[in-house]
Amino acid sequence: MTRLWPDGEAVDTCGAQDAPTGFFWQGKRHSIEETCNSWRVHTRWWEPEQSIWREYLKVTTHTGLLCLLYRDLLGDGWYLARIYD
């Protein structure tokens, strides 16, 4: 079953801010084995109070999870958006 967090679930990352090597979720460290895909989304840039600017990473972990992470480029935090099964 795919799990989705529409607003994201905040996670702490390790490694470089723009290229994390892992993240902490539910009290466990998940090492990123591979980045499968990455892209940026910048919407409603003409309305700063409603603007969304994110960098998405689809990654696999050392335990085989396929996850979608994003970095809020306006707020500078990392979030878990989805886990695929």
Side-chain angles (χ1 to χ4, degrees), residues 47-80:
E47 297 179 304
E49 64 280 351
Q50 295 180 6
S51 181
I52 294 173
W53 191 19
R54 296 176 179 170
E55 179 176 34
Y56 285 87
L57 298 177
K58 187 181 277 187
V59 300
T60 57
T61 69
H62 71 289
T63 59
L65 288 176
L66 178 59
C67 305
L68 182 61
L69 302 171
Y70 71 85
R71 181 169 60 139
D72 181 346
L73 295 169
L74 297 173
D76 208 33
W78 279 94
Y79 298 86
L80 178 62

Side-chain angles (χ1 to χ4, degrees), residues 7 10 18 30 37-38 45 54 72 80:
D7 295 323
D18 61 340
H30 298 271
N37 200 343
S38 65
W45 51 267
R54 296 176 179 170
D72 181 346
L80 178 62

